[in-house]
């Protein structure tokens, strides 16, 4: 798949970055920015190289400058770029302005001047001079109007409001200055010199007292060449011409980690802390991006030296990279052509996680097939009672959950295998065979009348699964929504009725077990939980439902009885159930509330029952990512007010060899269908008895009438004879 390319040649001073956001290419980049100009021949072109880049703190905006001294602003959140300013000299360093002045930029020129400009108008706001040599680094304060510029022999601190020099930092010894920068959210200035010495200075005091000096290593001959500090200002990473990185704990001023790099890395050219999109706990939130001498960017966890990711540019070397602490995007400057390639770090982590998960699933499938073959060989010599039909599936639930939260879904190729592992299906073939041999249940013999499906095969399979469920728990046959609940899984597992049966059985036994406690009345206990969570999160929406006279049976029950299959398209429904099956059974109720809150604009516009019914029973355009994120947010914020997990029982897998007895109906309703049938039978007998008495009375009346007619005729004959 090819990435999108943005050529600034013959473009206006502003425009869109892409017409449709492109997908990542094979190396992970989704956008390449270049600037070509006509060459010496009519059909020849040459590229203008980009020199420097810088991200803003949010990670959504990128500043770039090329050899022709043009500064461009690329805004990925707004899909927009613009030419900000054209410089009069070559740029040597580039940065956004202080966070208090987000609409400004800072630039250092080859004439040793330092300038600040406006991103909107492109005008230069101030020009500052004082350096004797070229500036090679700019650092701005995260919360105050200050900036520090560094050259090889001196550093200056500037006031970015008055554009005046506050302080000059120089050393007595003839040592080059490697780097000077502010710590995030602190009034501390860190300086590093060519001999490897690192100092911290209190910037809030006028005399700038020395706060700390990190210990020097005698084995550090060439000193450090690059440094970077973590976003919370706790860790400082330093590297140079050695096959290792030193990570310092600035709170204790001690070495926190000595990170040994792979043998292929002999020289570290650039460092940066970025947030790990795949982090599931606070200890692994930070990744360390390392640009090595081989022109590749490696991403390491602080705790170990294993490279999680590697960025390369199709055989070209990376000269420089830029990133923000958020780690949304990584921009790299390539050696061939001097173009800028943009990488989506989350997409890279997603691809890596998918590859690892697919690899593990492939190994699991292979081992399962081998184990199944071994079981079949043993079954020739052993009784079937001594061995199970299929070997059990094994999995790492924590790993699957971490991959799901990072990637948003399971790989399609292994989705159903993962579902089977999550549900811990028992593979009770014999038990399912016994239930199936009982034949169609009377409640589903005329299933085609109520559900006229086009596929006769699907209808037959659905009838078989529903009948098996009704034979397992006869009370389920009385539930009108059993077919609605079963249908989406029948569509997925239409070629494997046994797996479909066990999946539905597990879902009923866990996610739906509390739906029958008030049978034959609706599931008031479950609906009250949904209503309480909605009242806690969106009172306005709940009051709107109350004003219209809608109860939770109107706005929540249609989603539950269909398991979201009517309102969501297939792909979104599968993604939602990836998360539902991977979490506590109460997560399903939170998804109901999340759908209502994310669709509140439409629901608040409903003025009658028909509006809500149309919305809940038809396909809708719903942002499934927003719905899932809202459900996870509700899971965290409702624990203190409405602890849903204490109301809904934990997951319980089906037992082996035989299915558990369904005991989630109330005691008074266990014999309810039989009692109802007995009452009907008694009424029928009473009716037949009354009908028999009525018929006997009618026959006697008819006989009396016939006798009276005979007597009347006899008297008429006698009278006529006398005359």
């Amino acid at each position: 798949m090819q990435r999108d390319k943005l050529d600034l040649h013959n473009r206006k001073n502003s425009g869109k970055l892409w017409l449709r956001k492109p997908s990542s290419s094979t190396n992970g980049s989704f956008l390449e920015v270049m600037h070509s100009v006509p060459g010496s021949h009519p059909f020849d072109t040459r590229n203008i190289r980009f020199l420097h880049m810088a991200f803003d703190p949010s990670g959504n905006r990128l500043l770039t400058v090329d050899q022709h001294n043009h500064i461009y602003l690329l805004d990925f959140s707004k899909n927009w770029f613009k030419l900000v300013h054209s410089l009069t000299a070559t740029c040597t360093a580039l940065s956004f302005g202080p966070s208090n002045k987000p609409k400004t930029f800072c630039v250092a020129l080859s004439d040793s001047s330092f300038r600040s400009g406006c991103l909107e108008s492109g005008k230069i706001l101030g020009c500052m001079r004082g350096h004797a040599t070229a500036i090679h680094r700019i650092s701005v304060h995260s919360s105050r109007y200050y900036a520090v510029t560094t050259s090889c022999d001196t550093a200056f601190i500037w006031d970015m409001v008055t554009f005046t020099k506050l302080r000059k930092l120089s050393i007595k010894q003839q040592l080059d200055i490697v780097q000077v920068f502010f710590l995030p959210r602190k009034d501390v200035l860190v300086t590093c010199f060519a001999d490897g010495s690192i100092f911290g200075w209190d910037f809030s005091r006028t005399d700038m007292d020395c706060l700390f000096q990190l210990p020097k290593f005698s084995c550090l001959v060439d000193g450090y060449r690059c440094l970077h500090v973590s976003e919370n200002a706790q860790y400082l990473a330093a590297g140079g011409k050695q096959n290792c990185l030193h990570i310092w704990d600035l709170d204790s001023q001690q070495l926190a980690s000595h990170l040994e790099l792979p043998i292929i890395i002999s020289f570290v050219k650039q460092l940066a802390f970025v947030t790990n999109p795949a982090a599931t706990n606070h200890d692994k939130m930070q990744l360390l991006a390392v640009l090595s001498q081989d022109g590749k960017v490696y991403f390491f966890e602080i705790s170990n030296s294993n490279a999680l990711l590697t960025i390369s540019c199709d055989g070209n070397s990376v000269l420089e990279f830029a990133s923000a602490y958020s780690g949304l995007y990584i921009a790299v400057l390539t050696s061939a052509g001097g173009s800028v390639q943009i990488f989506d770090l989350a997409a890279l982590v997603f691809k890596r996680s998918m590859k690892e998960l697919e690899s593990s699933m492939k190994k699991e499938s292979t081992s399962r097939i081998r184990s199944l073959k071994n079981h079949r060989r043993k079954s020739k010599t052993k009784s079937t009672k001594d061995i199970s039909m299929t070997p059990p599936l094994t999995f790492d639930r924590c790993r699957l959950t971490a991959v799901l939260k990072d990637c948003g879904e399971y790989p399609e190729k292994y989705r159903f295998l993962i579902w089977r592992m999550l549900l811990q299906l028992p593979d009770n073939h014999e038990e399912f065979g016994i239930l199936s041999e009982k034949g169609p249940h009377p409640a589903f013999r005329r299933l085609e009348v109520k559900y006229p499906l086009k596929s006769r095969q699907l209808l037959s399979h659905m009838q078989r699964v529903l009948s098996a469920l009704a034979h397992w728990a006869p009370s389920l046959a009385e539930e009108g929504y059993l077919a609605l609940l079963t249908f989406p899984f029948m569509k997925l597992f239409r070629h494997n009725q046994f797996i479909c049966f066990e999946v539905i059985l597990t879902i009923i036994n866990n996610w739906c077990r509390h739906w029958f406690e008030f049978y034959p009345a609706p599931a008031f206990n479950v609906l009250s939980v949904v209503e309480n969570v909605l009242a806690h999160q969106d009172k306005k929406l709940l009051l709107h439902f109350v004003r219209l006279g809608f109860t939770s049976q109107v706005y929540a029950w249609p989603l539950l009885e269909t398991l979201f299959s009517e309102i969501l398209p297939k792909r979104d429904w599968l993604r939602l159930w990836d998360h539902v099956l991977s979490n506590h059974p109460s997560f399903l109720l939170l998804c109901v509330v999340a759908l209502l809150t994310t669709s509140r604009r439409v629901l608040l516009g409903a003025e009658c029952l028909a509006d809500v019914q149309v919305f809940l029973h038809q396909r809708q355009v719903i942002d499934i990512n927003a719905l899932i994120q809202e459900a996870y947010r509700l899971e965290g914020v409702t624990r203190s007010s409405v602890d849903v997990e204490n109301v809904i029982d934990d997951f319980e897998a089906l037992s082996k060899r035989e299915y558990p007895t369904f005991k989630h109906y109330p005691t008074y309703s266990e014999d309810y269908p039989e009692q109802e049938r007995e009452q009907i039978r008694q009424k029928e007998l009473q009716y037949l008895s009354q009908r028999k008495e009525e018929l006997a009375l009618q026959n006697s009346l008819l006989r009396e009438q016939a006798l009276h007619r005979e007597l009347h005729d006899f008297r008429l004959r006698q009278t006529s004879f006398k005359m």
Side-chain angles (χ1 to χ4, degrees), residues 541 567 594-604 615 622:
L541 182 58
I567 196 171
L595 189 144
L596 296 175
T597 55
T598 53
S599 306
R600 66 189 309 272
R601 183 181 61 83
V602 178
L603 294 173
L604 287 174
F615 177 80
I622 296 175

Side-chain angles (χ1 to χ4, degrees), residues 234-250:
Q234 181 180 1
Y235 296 107
L236 173 68
K241 294 183 178 181
Q242 56 268 347
N243 187 27
C244 64
L245 292 176
H246 293 158
I247 301 177
W248 299 90
D249 188 339
L250 295 182

Side-chain angles (χ1 to χ4, degrees), residues 18 22 42 79 86 95 107 161 182 187 266 285 318 349 395 502 714:
W18 53 74
N79 185 23
S86 295
S95 172
V107 60
V161 176
F182 292 107
D187 288 332
S266 60
M285 282 298 291
V318 177
V349 174
F395 69 103
E502 290 203 336
F714 178 74

Side-chain angles (χ1 to χ4, degrees), residues 80-91:
W80 196 255
F81 80 92
K82 63 177 293 187
L83 174 63
V84 176
H85 183 74
S86 295
L87 302 171
T88 58
T90 303
C91 174

Side-chain angles (χ1 to χ4, degrees), residues 539-604:
K539 293 182 179 179
K540 183 178 179 180
L541 182 58
L542 180 61
L543 291 175
H544 176 70
F545 289 146
V546 173
R547 181 178 63 84
L548 296 176
F550 298 161
T551 63
S552 52
Q553 289 181 252
V554 175
Y555 59 80
W557 185 244
L559 297 174
L560 288 173
E561 68 177 355
T562 60
L563 299 179
F564 298 88
S565 61
E566 287 187 348
I567 196 171
L568 294 177
K570 180 180 178 181
R571 179 172 175 80
D572 291 346
W573 187 86
L574 290 172
R575 293 188 62 186
L576 177 67
W577 274 90
D578 283 344
H579 292 265
V580 171
L581 299 180
S582 302
N583 286 277
H584 191 272
S586 62
F587 191 78
L588 179 64
L589 305 183
L590 298 178
C591 290
V592 174
V593 181
L595 189 144
L596 296 175
T597 55
T598 53
S599 306
R600 66 189 309 272
R601 183 181 61 83
V602 178
L603 294 173
L604 287 174

Side-chain angles (χ1 to χ4, degrees), residues 480-549:
Y481 57 82
L482 183 63
L484 298 176
L485 185 147
T486 306
F487 181 71
F489 295 98
M490 282 301 311
K491 293 278 286 184
L492 295 178
F493 302 98
R494 62 189 305 172
H495 300 298
N496 196 330
Q497 303 164 50
F498 167 66
I499 296 297
C500 179
F501 172 79
E502 290 203 336
V503 168
I504 298 171
L505 197 65
T506 306
I507 290 175
I508 292 176
N509 202 45
N510 289 276
W511 281 266
C512 309
R513 67 170 60 178
H514 295 285
W515 294 11
F516 313 99
E517 293 179 357
F518 291 90
Y519 177 83
F524 295 122
N525 53 338
V526 175
L527 296 177
S528 63
V529 173
V530 175
E531 189 171 345
N532 291 336
V533 176
L534 182 62
H536 183 267
Q537 293 300 316
D538 198 333
K539 293 182 179 179
K540 183 178 179 180
L541 182 58
L542 180 61
L543 291 175
H544 176 70
F545 289 146
V546 173
R547 181 178 63 84
L548 296 176

Side-chain angles (χ1 to χ4, degrees), residues 262-281:
I263 193 170
I264 59 175
I265 300 178
S266 60
F267 181 23
V268 177
K269 301 171 63 177
Q270 188 179 352
L271 290 171
F273 282 95
V274 294
T275 301
N276 183 4
T280 56
N281 55 63

